[in-house]
Amino acid sequence: MDIKEIHITERQRMIARELYPFNNLPGSVTKGKSQMYGALGEIIVHDYYVQKGFDVSPDNTYDYDLLMKGYKIDVKTKRVKTKPQPHHFASIPAWNTRQKCDIYIFARILEDMSKGWILGYKTKNNFYEQAAFNKQGDKDWNGWEFKTDCYNLTIDKLNIIK
């Protein structure tokens, strides 16, 4: 597992606030309270790849967030209180399985927005082949109750970001 730790800059927080309308997106598990974290996830992934010399275009649609090398990439981000661990889940709500993307990249943003992590990626098909399905109300390994039906894969099963 090779998680990329990112120190989030004020510039990145400003871009997230200015570029993204923070309405309550349909199906939002947190009723819109985590949308800033989702925007920051997209920005840190974009900036990471640009810094590595890739041509990455933001293309924020319902189906995907970024275009890179002809691939449609959707960034899935969770707000967290602690550094991600290998046994934590990369998750996609069950209502969100029809997005027309090629790849999911998973990210985490610390609650205070000072730091983020790019965890890894899976192709869309590969994710659903390997993920476990959990129903709303099921409990995970830590006793946390799933807020919606979702597909889950542990972080250590993600492909390494190169």
Side-chain angles (χ1 to χ4, degrees):
M1 192 170 95
D2 187 23
I3 294 174
K4 308 295 182 201
E5 186 171 283
I6 309 291
H7 292 278
I8 298 172
T9 66
E10 183 54 39
R11 177 193 142 279
Q12 290 170 317
R13 286 187 289 273
M14 183 188 72
I15 290 170
R17 282 190 296 272
E18 289 179 0
L19 292 183
Y20 295 88
F22 292 104
N23 304 322
N24 184 5
L25 293 173
S28 173
V29 174
T30 63
K31 309 292 186 239
K33 293 178 184 164
S34 291
Q35 288 173 218
M36 177 69 170
Y37 298 92
L40 276 171
E42 293 170 25
I43 291 166
I44 68 168
V45 168
H46 171 271
D47 290 357
Y48 174 82
Y49 279 105
V50 167
Q51 191 174 51
K52 296 292 180 189
F54 288 89
D55 183 18
V56 184
S57 302
D59 195 2
N60 201 335
T61 70
Y62 170 77
D63 291 308
Y64 55 91
D65 304 311
L66 304 170
L67 288 171
M68 181 170 58
K69 291 189 162 192
Y71 292 104
K72 297 172 185 167
I73 299 168
D74 196 56
V75 180
K76 299 295 185 188
T77 306
K78 287 184 182 180
R79 174 184 67 187
V80 295
K81 294 179 182 182
T82 61
K83 181 178 180 175
Q85 300 299 311
H87 59 279
H88 290 171
F89 289 128
S91 305
I92 298 176
W95 56 264
N96 209 4
T97 60
R98 295 185 181 197
Q99 287 178 288
K100 294 175 182 83
C101 62
D102 303 307
I103 296 171
Y104 294 118
I105 294 180
F106 296 90
R108 297 287 185 274
I109 302 293
L110 203 56
E111 264 188 353
D112 69 2
M113 298 182 204
S114 64
K115 196 180 295 185
W117 295 270
I118 303 172
L119 309 175
Y121 73 95
K122 280 287 181 189
T123 64
K124 181 180 176 181
N125 291 339
N126 199 244
F127 178 84
Y128 291 110
E129 288 169 359
Q130 295 180 16
F133 179 76
N134 293 96
K135 293 198 69 64
Q136 180 178 352
D138 286 352
K139 297 198 189 259
D140 73 2
W141 54 269
N142 196 31
W144 184 82
E145 188 175 303
F146 291 96
K147 307 297 183 215
T148 189
D149 293 354
C150 58
Y151 291 88
N152 298 288
L153 188 65
T154 55
I155 292 170
D156 63 352
K157 302 278 190 301
L158 298 176
N159 298 339
I160 294 171
I161 298 290
K162 298 174 182 164

